[in-house]
Structures are given as C-alpha cells and as structure tokens.
Amino acid sequence: MKEFLGLDIPLTISVIPELKYSEKICGLAKEAGKEILCHMPMEPESGGGDGGEIPLVRADMERGEMEKTMSRALKTTPHVVGMNNHMGSKATADRRVMGIVMGVCRKKNLLFFDSLTTPKSVVREAADEAGVANARNDIFLDNKAEDTRENMKKLLAIAEKRGRVTGVMHVRSESLQELKWLVREAGKRGMRFSGISGMVGGRSAAASQGGKT
C-alpha cells in the first residue's frame, strides 16, 4: 500500500470498511494527498455472501437498516470523497436499493463511482436522478494478472479515442510494477492522471483543457 501511495500521480484509493487497517490506510492515503473512496460491499448475484466480517448492503434490507450499514461503514473510512461498490452485481441492478444509496451519498455530499460489476447496473440513472456526481469503471485491469499489460494498452487506446478513461486495479506487488509501466507509457503520450473527483459530472479539468486523462 505504501508503495502505491508513494507514486507521484493522483491515484484514488478505495478502502473496504471495518477491516483491521481500514482507518489507518485512509489516514495514510490522506497524508499522501490521494483521494479516497469507501469500497462499500454490496450484494452480488451469487457467491461472496455476508460472512459477518464487513458490512454488506443487501437488496432485501429495509431503508433504515441499509442506511445504518452505510453509516457504520463510513465511520471506519474517514476522509472519503465518495463511495464505490465492492461486488454488488445484484444490488447495483436494483433501482430501489440504489435510490437509497444515492440518498445517503447526497446527504453526506459524496460522489459515487460505479465499479460496473454488471451490465444491468442502474447506478448512473439513480445517481443522476438524486443529483449525485458519478462516474463508472471502463475496465478492470488486473483481475487476471497475465492480462494486465494488455488491459492497460486497451485503457490507453480508450483514452486516445475518447479523451478520458477510468480503470480499476488491486493493491498487489505485480500490479504495482505494471502500473509503473502505465505511468511511463501515459507520459510518453502526453496523458495525465486524475483523482476520481476530476472525472465525475463532466467536471474533468483535463477534458475542459483538451487534455487526455
């Protein structure tokens, strides 16, 4: 984690709440000048159920229980600028659930980043309706370690074509080395990195200045 935080680019760090080092990592990320998201566990279509170790937003929860779960999670992830879903293929496809989630984000002035774990996601619609700044993931970079470099090349190609792109990767030693390659390659192409707040709601400084992010 410290090696990722030491990179001289504006990474956004997403932290799963209520784990042993959740608060410490948020503090270190804040000190390093990185933006932080609460990586909120949400119910998937199958697998990855609630083992009780972390708070989980389930589709069958009542509003009050869901709000309490998210409030509890946010207490252990200080300094966050927003929230994104960990898992959540079932929850993010449920308009009622996402309406409640966006209500919490609006109340706490948080953006929402859709990890896009399902093509059925209704995050954008729910966020726009609630007036919550939002963005979505374009590509998972290192779900399979052997594909990371190729996925990074795809990321760069999207940025070249569209002018902006978002990607998600994990805190792993092998991913760190690939990320260093991406930083060098992006620099050669005149691209720059942005924290997530610069990528939501059409407010990207790079986009407004004609840059590539």
Side-chain angles (χ1 to χ4, degrees), residues 142-150:
D142 62 348
N143 279 355
K144 293 182 179 179
E146 63 271 21
D147 296 336
T148 303
R149 181 67 63 89
E150 286 305 309

Side-chain angles (χ1 to χ4, degrees), residues 21-35:
Y21 296 111
S22 298
E23 292 185 59
K24 183 175 182 178
I25 289 171
C26 287
L28 290 172
K30 176 71 172 177
E31 289 175 12
K34 310 300 186 189
E35 289 187 333

Side-chain angles (χ1 to χ4, degrees), residues 136 138 157-166 199 211-212:
R136 62 167 55 175
D138 288 304
I158 295 170
E160 289 277 11
K161 181 178 180 180
R162 211 171 63 192
R164 55 192 288 156
V165 65
T166 59
M199 301 295 287
K212 299 168 187 172

Side-chain angles (χ1 to χ4, degrees), residues 67-80:
E67 290 174 342
K68 187 180 295 184
T69 298
M70 286 184 282
S71 178
R72 200 176 93 200
L74 289 166
K75 286 180 180 177
T76 65
T77 51
H79 315 301
V80 297

Side-chain angles (χ1 to χ4, degrees), residues 28-116:
L28 290 172
K30 176 71 172 177
E31 289 175 12
K34 310 300 186 189
E35 289 187 333
I36 311 159
L37 296 177
C38 174
H39 197 36
M40 188 71 223
M42 297 185 179
E43 186 177 3
E45 284 290 351
S46 60
D50 183 4
E53 183 183 17
I54 52 178
L56 181 75
V57 170
R58 298 191 311 273
D60 63 357
M61 280 179 164
E62 296 295 331
R63 175 183 294 272
E65 186 181 6
M66 202 181 300
E67 290 174 342
K68 187 180 295 184
T69 298
M70 286 184 282
S71 178
R72 200 176 93 200
L74 289 166
K75 286 180 180 177
T76 65
T77 51
H79 315 301
V80 297
V81 299
M83 182 185 295
N84 76 313
N85 55 295
H86 169 54
M87 307 182 294
S89 54
K90 183 174 183 178
T92 58
D94 189 309
R95 190 60 181 266
R96 182 191 75 90
V97 172
M98 296 319 297
I100 296 170
V101 170
M102 295 310 158
V104 171
C105 289
R106 182 179 59 207
K107 182 178 179 181
K108 296 183 179 294
N109 196 29
L110 300 174
L111 62 86
F112 195 94
F113 177 67
D114 186 2
S115 302
L116 206 61

